[in-house]
Amino acid sequence: MLPKATDRFGEFGGRYVPETLIPALDELEFAFDAAMSDPDFVRTYADLLRDYVGRPSPLSDAPRLSERVGAKVYLKREDLNHTGAHKINNALGQALLAMRMGKRRIIAETGAGQHGVAAATACARFGLECVVYMGETDMERQELNVFRMRLMGATVVPVSSGTRTLKDATTEAIRDWVTNVETTHYIIGSVVGPAPYPRMVRDLQSVIGREAREQMLARTGGLPTAVVACVGGGSNAMGIFHAFVDDAAVRLVGVEAAGEGLNTEHHSASLSRGRPGVLHGALSYLLQDKNGQVHPAHSISAGLDYPGVGPEHSFLHDSKRAEYAAVTDSAALEAFGVLSRLEGVIPALETSHAVAWLLDSVGTWSPSDKVLLCVSGRGDKDVAQVRAMQGNAR
């Protein structure tokens, strides 16, 4: 069966999967569209976001950061959600959908561990079986989140193949899904994968942008000059961008991981240095070697350490509706400390890339400009890693 027109964003997206998965994807698309048209499902989901997650997440002024940057900066505080990141918005919605489809075994992939924690949380809340695939490298640098997942009853499966990071965890999760598709729902954590996942995850995360838009209008009387978010697969960025895509005057800025530098072999900047290709069931920009094989990604941040990006980001990139920059490990590490010291907000290393881009933009703003920055997650999970790195640097 050919993908529907709605399965693509321009040329990007689609379904490049084994035939055995096509019926499951058709079922998922039908179930999701039906659920989002069902007032009872929508109400149940909204109640969970309010009473369990704690939405709406606050919009915080950042006066000391604003003074340093030269524009008025506002922080959309997804770090204050239950579980500490934006990932819970999607995990709860997909868990509800899985139960609607009669599937009580959940699998997930995770890099930084925040999506794995969110999936484990949703499964604990609803009494579902949960299996999370995680690369061994990421398990080492995100030991706290591994413990949290297991504490909530999830089985965490170490992945030792390839680079032992997010790409390889995703590959193993897909293999599990192919084998157990009749009884299992795969909660993909980002706006990647075969259709309808990119659209579905975006829609479940779009609550971030809807809230932020209303909050900016109420607080400032207008829309932001720019919206800034980090981009790995890109779910927090699509979640906050979506409400502003039709506002041509609002700049959309996605910040990728430049790792050790864009001129090295060690980065995760798919849009800055990649080219279109197929990965994990969709056509999008990805890192490739000269033979077209997927090139290993690198980032200090486990959540950005992925060689591809969501197909809608690829479309926004090529259509020039959004702009994409890249920030090095060292700049992100510095920004991790700067936001902590200036605002008392310890950001996830993923978010730190967006903060670093903003710090590097000093001199480009006017005092009347308003910058909305998505704090996609809190940095508790990264403190031990950063402490060890700083200790090694001394």
Side-chain angles (χ1 to χ4, degrees), residues 2-329:
L2 291 174
K4 299 178 182 177
T6 54
D7 289 339
R8 291 188 180 268
F9 306 92
E11 69 176 295
F12 301 104
R15 294 179 180 175
Y16 299 86
V17 297
E19 272 189 47
T20 52
L21 286 182
I22 295 297
L25 291 168
D26 284 340
E27 176 193 20
L28 179 60
E29 183 172 50
F30 178 83
F32 178 69
D33 290 340
M36 297 306 284
S37 299
D38 181 348
D40 289 336
F41 181 92
V42 172
R43 187 181 309 110
T44 299
Y45 178 52
D47 288 348
L48 280 166
L49 290 180
R50 183 189 65 237
D51 300 333
Y52 190 66
V53 177
R55 303 205 72 92
S57 64
L59 185 74
S60 296
D61 293 335
R64 298 186 67 206
L65 180 62
S66 297
E67 183 178 359
R68 176 149 173 183
V69 169
K72 186 68 173 174
V73 179
Y74 298 88
L75 308 177
K76 182 56 173 167
R77 300 292 304 279
E78 294 301 291
D79 59 313
L80 295 181
N81 291 340
H82 177 44
T83 72
H86 70 292
K87 296 292 189 179
I88 190 68
N89 305 322
N90 170 58
L92 281 174
Q94 287 203 51
L96 283 176
L97 190 63
M99 292 189 295
R100 184 183 176 99
M101 293 187 294
K103 298 185 178 183
R104 301 193 65 83
R105 180 176 182 266
I106 299 298
I107 58 173
E109 86 297 326
T110 198
Q114 287 303 116
H115 174 58
V117 167
T121 300
C123 289
R125 174 68 174 76
F126 299 126
L128 305 175
E129 180 184 354
C130 184
V131 178
V132 180
Y133 289 89
M134 190 172 191
E136 288 180 340
T137 296
D138 292 337
M139 291 181 71
E140 292 167 7
R141 57 182 172 178
Q142 296 295 337
E143 185 178 355
L144 174 62
N145 275 342
V146 174
F147 179 80
R148 292 170 74 194
M149 286 182 268
R150 288 172 171 161
L151 183 65
M152 289 185 284
T155 299
V156 182
V157 180
V159 177
S160 58
S161 59
T163 57
R164 304 185 302 148
T165 56
L166 181 57
K167 175 185 75 71
D168 311 293
T170 303
T171 299
E172 290 303 316
I174 291 173
R175 285 175 180 161
D176 182 319
W177 194 33
V178 170
T179 304
N180 301 290
V181 68
E182 293 184 2
T183 61
T184 298
H185 175 63
Y186 178 15
I187 299 184
I188 291 182
S190 196
V191 286
V192 299
Y197 278 106
R199 172 173 64 92
M200 183 169 69
V201 176
R202 179 204 67 196
D203 288 353
L204 292 172
Q205 292 291 5
S206 65
V207 63
I208 304 171
R210 291 196 305 274
E211 287 178 3
R213 197 176 198 279
E214 293 174 3
Q215 290 165 326
M216 288 295 294
L217 288 170
R219 181 81 60 87
T220 72
L223 296 176
T225 307
V227 180
V228 185
C230 64
V231 174
S235 61
N236 91 94
M238 278 314 312
I240 198 166
F241 285 178
H242 190 55
F244 299 97
V245 166
D246 292 334
D247 299 302
V250 178
R251 246 177 111 185
L252 304 179
V253 182
V255 185
E256 298 186 292
E260 296 176 6
L262 292 181
N263 295 322
T264 73
E265 296 292 308
H266 303 106
H267 60 75
S268 298
S270 304
L271 290 167
S272 300
R273 286 293 184 269
R275 63 183 191 272
V278 174
L279 177 66
H280 295 144
L283 175 65
S284 189
Y285 273 84
L286 65 140
L287 301 179
Q288 304 174 58
D289 64 20
K290 62 182 181 180
N291 297 316
Q293 298 300 306
V294 177
H295 193 283
H298 162 80
S299 173
I300 190 178
S301 158
L304 303 185
D305 195 354
Y306 184 69
V309 68
E312 190 166 5
H313 281 295
S314 295
F315 172 73
L316 293 177
H317 171 272
D318 278 13
S319 67
K320 302 190 184 308
R321 176 59 190 95
E323 57 192 277
Y324 294 87
V327 162
T328 63
D329 288 347

Side-chain angles (χ1 to χ4, degrees), residues 342-353:
L342 289 183
E343 298 295 345
V345 175
I346 303 175
L349 281 172
E350 291 78 17
T351 299
S352 299
H353 286 71

